[in-house]
Amino acid sequence: MQNNVEIIQINISGEDKPGMTSSLTEILARYDAFILDIGQANIHQSLTLGILFKTTADKSGNIMKELLFKASELGVMIRFTPIAERKYEDWVGRQGKNRYIITLLGRTVTARHIAEVTSVVAEHGLNIDAIKRLTGRIPLSEDDRAAKSCIELSVRGSLTDEERSTMQEGFMNLSEIGLDVSFQKDDIYRRSRRLICFDMDSTLIETEVIDELAERAGVGEEVRAITASAMRGEIDFRESFSRRVALLKGLDVSVMEEIARSLPITEGLERMMTILKRVGYKTAILSGGFTYFGNYLRQKYGFDYVYANELEIEEGKLTGRYVGEVVDGRRKAELLRLLCQFEEINIAQSVAVGDGANDLPMLNLAGLGIAFHAKPKVKATARQSISTIGLDGILYFLGLKDSRIE
């Protein structure tokens, strides 16, 4: 860099007004200043604008004088900071460091929540580049507030695998104080997710359908006990599935339609599916439950794929057997991989959402695996979790902002 070159950073703050950026950069253009970096943020009609530019010593005085006059005319504050060449080169050299996205999600996100997260960020030597709110503007009245709040941090720095694992574990524990925290590497795949696969029972719906069927068959207590043990990972899913289905023998198929009509839908499902379809995601149900109920949800909410278990029926009654291969944890992961191949996307562009132990294989395989209101064992193993709000919380983990999607 030539000796007469100067690097200057200007920081402008004040009331946001139309044409401010244009009038300031026009001065830089008139003196052929080269803009090295530019960034702007707005909070409640207050603007903070930063411009880093390169010029020559014979022009810098006039540039700063004109910028100062223009700032006074606009009624904003302006500050000039000279930047040493070595400091600038060091800053450029850090651009190769990894960037991460940290998403804070809950019914509310408080100052304490932000302090807890940013403290962890600082402890690991990461630098916060940007902070933005993904949920809508917050009214003062408690009654008018939305039942969710989300803030996204963009951070940069280098982490070992062990450090990253430690950070994620610490963030997951914050659900105990009403906060879900997603920690993702900000790479090309995070910005181009294309497929989302969901478990059904206790994820898309707030019940285990097999338990509902068992109640109608008079074997509710026995089936619930087997279901709970399987979801905790205490017994093999295939074994538990066969034992539970066998207990349904003789149940009339009309009961299935009755249960389908009254399924308790998980909070946020309709909004989530409306927006996912709007922005072009493919969606799939990969369930250890039953095809009948998966197809009911597919018809109602527009899922693209349904893979679940088919109950055998003879003369209008369940036989206590199933048809075809059981959709267990291994099969879910296999189906996720096959759907990625069919949709011609990288596995890193996929998302998987589930709550039980049999969802872990697909959660660990997907580019983004989310344990949703999950069992303790599942939450402890998963990399991301949502425990505080409904399914539409997934939209914020994907980086979608309310003001752009509503």
Side-chain angles (χ1 to χ4, degrees), residues 199-203 205-214 227 231 244 263-264 289 355 375:
D199 174 47
M200 179 171 64
D201 296 48
S202 296
T203 299
I205 55 176
E206 294 180 329
T207 188
E208 295 287 328
V209 168
I210 198 164
D211 292 348
E212 300 285 341
L213 291 169
T227 299
M231 298 305 285
R244 288 178 290 174
L263 286 175
D355 73 298
K375 312 300 183 288

Side-chain angles (χ1 to χ4, degrees), residues 40-318:
Q40 178 176 312
N42 295 68
I43 298 179
H44 191 247
Q45 295 182 309
S46 294
L47 168 133
T48 299
L49 171 65
I51 302 176
L52 187 66
F53 66 92
K54 179 180 71 171
T55 186
T56 54
D58 59 316
K59 297 178 180 178
S60 61
N62 288 331
I63 291 175
M64 288 190 283
K65 182 175 66 174
E66 290 204 32
L67 287 173
L68 189 60
F69 285 146
K70 179 57 70 173
S72 177
E73 180 185 316
L74 293 169
V76 296
M77 299 291 293
I78 187 166
R79 180 164 55 91
F80 302 95
T81 306
I83 305 296
E85 290 185 20
R86 178 178 295 178
K87 187 176 180 181
Y88 177 77
E89 296 294 352
D90 287 344
W91 175 75
V92 170
R94 290 197 298 272
Q95 70 181 339
K97 289 190 176 181
N98 291 329
R99 187 189 294 274
Y100 301 94
I101 295 296
I102 302 174
T103 311
L104 289 65
L105 177 65
R107 296 291 178 187
T108 59
V109 175
T110 66
R112 172 54 53 196
H113 290 151
I114 297 171
E116 291 279 358
V117 172
T118 53
S119 174
V120 174
V121 170
E123 286 171 9
H124 285 82
L126 300 178
N127 184 66
I128 299 175
D129 288 342
I131 303 175
K132 62 182 178 180
R133 173 177 41 81
L134 298 187
T135 43
R137 294 175 180 173
I138 302 172
L140 291 176
S141 171
E142 294 282 350
D143 295 337
D144 295 335
R145 290 184 187 176
K148 60 183 74 70
S149 182
C150 183
I151 294 172
E152 182 183 276
L153 310 181
S154 175
V155 305
R156 188 191 299 274
S158 297
L159 293 173
T160 65
D161 289 343
E162 184 178 353
E163 287 172 331
R164 182 174 176 178
S165 178
T166 300
M167 281 190 71
Q168 283 191 305
E169 183 178 345
F171 287 151
M172 295 280 274
N173 292 334
L174 292 179
S175 63
E176 297 173 4
I177 60 171
L179 183 71
D180 293 320
V181 182
S182 169
F183 183 62
Q184 304 177 56
K185 190 171 182 179
D186 189 16
D187 55 19
I188 189 174
Y189 298 116
R190 191 196 76 85
R191 298 168 182 269
S192 59
R193 309 286 190 205
R194 290 292 177 267
L195 170 70
I196 305 187
C197 298
F198 298 90
D199 174 47
M200 179 171 64
D201 296 48
S202 296
T203 299
L204 298 176
I205 55 176
E206 294 180 329
T207 188
E208 295 287 328
V209 168
I210 198 164
D211 292 348
E212 300 285 341
L213 291 169
E215 285 294 329
R216 306 304 200 281
V219 291
E221 189 173 338
E222 299 98 305
V223 167
R224 275 196 304 274
I226 300 171
T227 299
S229 182
M231 298 305 285
R232 291 192 299 266
E234 295 170 352
I235 58 175
D236 174 74
F237 180 82
R238 286 173 179 259
E239 177 191 346
S240 70
F241 182 76
S242 297
R243 285 166 54 186
R244 288 178 290 174
V245 170
L247 291 169
L248 301 179
K249 183 177 180 179
L251 186 65
D252 196 281
V253 294
S254 62
V255 173
M256 296 172 71
E257 182 179 354
E258 175 192 332
I259 292 173
R261 286 199 304 267
S262 57
L263 286 175
I265 302 302
T266 300
E267 174 193 353
L269 172 57
E270 185 170 4
R271 176 174 183 257
M272 176 193 70
M273 286 300 296
T274 298
I275 293 168
L276 289 178
K277 287 190 291 182
R278 185 183 301 163
V279 296
Y281 279 82
K282 293 293 185 179
T283 56
I285 296 174
L286 307 183
S287 174
F290 304 115
T291 306
Y292 183 92
F293 302 97
N295 285 333
Y296 176 84
L297 294 177
R298 179 181 190 173
Q299 183 177 17
K300 187 171 183 179
Y301 297 103
F303 288 91
D304 296 292
Y305 303 98
V306 173
Y307 293 94
N309 297 298
E310 190 75 38
L311 291 170
E312 185 181 71
I313 300 170
E314 290 182 358
E315 298 180 358
K317 295 185 183 297
L318 303 185

Side-chain angles (χ1 to χ4, degrees), residues 13-33:
S13 59
E15 184 181 352
D16 191 12
K17 299 173 182 177
M20 185 180 298
T21 303
S22 172
S23 61
L24 294 169
T25 53
E26 193 278 329
I27 294 171
L28 295 175
R30 197 158 60 243
Y31 287 94
D32 295 321

